[in-house]
Amino acid sequence: MNAPVVEKLRQLFGERLRLEQGIRQQFCQAPPGIELSPPDAVVTVRSEDEIVQVVKLCREYGVALIPSGARSSLEGQINAPQGGVCVDCSEMNAIIDVNVTDMTATVQPGVTREQLNSHLRETGLFFSVDPGANASMGGMAATRASGTNSVRYGTMAGNVKAARWIMANGSVAAIGSRAPKSAMGLDLLAIAIGSEGTLGIFSELQVRLHPVPEAIVAGVCSFDSVDNAVQTVASALGQGLSIARIELLDATAVRACNAYSAALGLVDTPHLFLEFHGDRSTVASSVELFKDCAGEYGGQVRISERLEERTALWKARHDAWWAFHAFYKGRKGLATDVCVPLSCLSACISATAADIAASGLDAPLIGHVGDGNFHLLIMLDEGEDESADIQAFLSRLSSRALSFGGTVSGEHGVGQGKLKWMSAQHGAALQFMRAIKSALDPDNLFNPGKMYQSLRVDAR
């Protein structure tokens, strides 16, 4: 990066401009098999005006910008293959307003989901999107995050009502609407959410809140096969039960989580982790109907209303990443996900399990099965992620998801890790995305090398 840019950034931000290699290395991320590329500089911003200043300066000198929040993305969204300036929004963490009547919160992009829910504790409301990591609101919007609660409350796409968005020319656009609905013009908010920092930078978001339910009941249900667990999910959701969370762990995942969270005490078979939300009578009825439904597929249900047991259950679920790494000591995990229609989920998982066995891989499966979304953590020895066998397995997994009418990622996003599958999934529609990118960021300065880059792969 040229000296005039560094000098002007130093004049504007002083000690909040960081050039040390050790710091820059902390502000990049790439999935296994992709080169780790730190930015040339990291600038910590504290206001919308400061983001605008950085954008205008980088545009003047043709320098790339990479927005960053809690740095919990998995597919290289904050990697910097062309260098440039990382715009660190983590200190823009003010909760600006909570409107209990409208059930909304207005926040800066660096506010984390745990921070927001802690702030809301006395209001009777909560923010529902729970991707596991304590992610930031700006990053969650940029990656269209979802998580364990999405089966009832939806993904980030349905839980952001409005935003302020800084575009490549330095202008600030107010997108979306605070009103309950709008029929005025194109839905620019829908374009912004999921754009992964390639079109603009969020400086403020208004997010939807939900009432804390009167009754919350959690439970686990064991099965003799993954197929029976998935069939139970489809049947239960088809009956309209008040399920807020329904997570699948295969037998390997259960063994690892048992070893890591000894209090779980589960039998080493496939399990569903469940949570029901609603009024007391509705939840009680849903629990009984679910027991009947699971029983038809040999499921054994254990239910608890105790807060500490519920908390321990979901902590074990969110600790799965560390549980798998502890179970497979000395190995690193390559995380990937796909999502298919619920009607195809059993067939897709069965074919994937057979592929894992035939390939000799260790790859625990865990997923938001109410959404048709499942994840694998492929446990690898050093350097194995770049092997032809691993890359061939990932290609088969992606092709399989597309063959079932699904998507190559339901949750992790594109970044660099899924980039080569954009053409296979979207076909001619990818040209429309590139046209939008060219119109909004003609100099390709916002998070370049992601999402729209011309890489192709055959979907076989």
Side-chain angles (χ1 to χ4, degrees), residues 211-239:
V212 175
E214 177 188 8
I216 301 176
V217 172
V220 295
C221 185
S222 62
F223 294 88
D224 61 3
S225 71
V226 167
D227 182 65
N228 281 336
V230 174
Q231 295 297 337
T232 297
V233 172
S235 178
L237 293 178
Q239 295 179 52

Side-chain angles (χ1 to χ4, degrees), residues 356-378:
I356 290 170
S359 303
L361 298 177
D362 292 313
L365 183 150
I366 198 164
H368 316 308
V369 284
D371 300 328
N373 186 198
F374 68 91
H375 304 249
L376 299 173
L377 193 64
I378 306 168

Side-chain angles (χ1 to χ4, degrees), residues 44-352:
T44 300
V45 293
R46 293 174 178 165
S47 69
E48 180 179 270
D49 286 344
E50 288 189 345
I51 299 177
V52 170
Q53 287 177 320
V54 178
V55 169
K56 288 183 175 179
L57 179 61
C58 287
R59 186 186 183 205
E60 179 183 354
Y61 286 89
V63 174
L65 299 96
I66 305 94
S68 172
R71 291 171 278 160
S72 56
S73 56
L74 294 170
E75 294 291 350
Q77 281 90 345
I78 61 168
N79 214 32
Q82 298 182 25
V85 176
C86 175
V87 184
D88 169 27
C89 297
S90 62
E91 292 189 14
M92 288 183 65
N93 58 358
I95 298 171
I96 298 166
D97 176 65
V98 173
N99 190 312
V100 174
T101 302
D102 290 340
M103 292 193 292
T104 61
T106 303
V107 300
Q108 288 185 317
V111 170
T112 67
R113 66 173 187 87
E114 290 182 4
Q115 176 192 352
L116 178 56
N117 276 323
S118 178
H119 183 85
L120 294 170
R121 195 165 289 150
E122 304 302 321
T123 67
L125 301 171
F126 78 109
F127 177 70
S128 65
V129 183
D130 175 13
N134 188 23
S136 66
M137 294 290 135
M140 290 168 71
T143 55
R144 202 187 293 115
S146 52
T148 60
N149 280 318
S150 299
V151 66
R152 181 176 178 88
Y153 299 102
T155 72
M156 204 66 178
N159 282 283
V160 180
K161 292 174 62 66
R164 290 177 65 81
W165 202 38
I166 300 169
M167 305 177 77
N169 64 0
S171 64
V172 181
I175 56 178
S177 172
R178 295 172 182 265
K181 61 181 182 179
S182 175
M184 291 295 292
L186 299 178
D187 189 353
L188 296 181
L189 186 63
I191 293 174
I193 294 174
S195 61
E196 300 188 3
T198 63
L199 302 178
I201 303 175
F202 291 107
S203 60
E204 183 179 295
L205 301 104
Q206 185 189 75
V207 296
R208 190 185 307 275
L209 307 177
H210 299 270
V212 175
E214 177 188 8
I216 301 176
V217 172
V220 295
C221 185
S222 62
F223 294 88
D224 61 3
S225 71
V226 167
D227 182 65
N228 281 336
V230 174
Q231 295 297 337
T232 297
V233 172
S235 178
L237 293 178
Q239 295 179 52
L241 305 189
S242 60
I243 297 171
R245 292 168 158 173
I246 187 160
E247 299 284 300
L248 171 69
L249 288 77
D250 72 1
T252 304
V254 170
R255 282 193 290 273
C257 288
N258 270 335
Y260 193 77
S261 306
L264 272 181
L266 304 177
V267 295
D268 289 344
T269 63
H271 273 70
L272 295 176
F273 287 11
L274 306 142
E275 195 165 275
F276 300 85
H277 290 187
D279 61 72
R280 295 189 184 282
S281 62
T282 300
V283 167
S285 174
S286 288
V287 168
E288 293 306 311
L289 288 169
F290 181 82
K291 288 179 178 178
D292 292 342
C293 179
E296 294 180 10
Y297 295 94
Q300 302 293 315
V301 183
R302 191 176 81 216
I303 295 294
S304 176
E305 298 184 30
R306 296 177 59 192
L307 175 61
E308 58 269 28
E309 290 184 0
R310 192 172 79 236
T311 301
L313 179 69
W314 295 112
K315 185 178 189 305
R317 167 61 182 88
H318 288 324
D319 284 350
W321 171 276
W322 294 276
F324 297 162
H325 281 85
F327 194 71
Y328 295 99
K329 287 184 175 64
R331 298 164 75 180
K332 63 178 179 178
L334 190 164
T336 190
D337 81 311
V338 295
C339 186
V340 298
L342 195 57
S343 60
C344 303
L345 182 60
S346 179
C348 188
I349 288 178
S350 294
T352 300

Side-chain angles (χ1 to χ4, degrees), residues 349-409:
I349 288 178
S350 294
T352 300
D355 195 353
I356 290 170
S359 303
L361 298 177
D362 292 313
L365 183 150
I366 198 164
H368 316 308
V369 284
D371 300 328
N373 186 198
F374 68 91
H375 304 249
L376 299 173
L377 193 64
I378 306 168
M379 305 308 301
L380 304 173
D381 294 318
E382 189 66 32
E384 192 180 0
D385 49 280
E386 296 184 20
S387 75
D389 289 345
I390 296 301
Q391 294 306 314
F393 171 79
L394 293 173
S395 291
R396 291 194 300 274
L397 176 67
S398 298
S399 293
R400 186 178 302 120
L402 293 180
S403 73
F404 282 113
T407 174
V408 176
S409 178

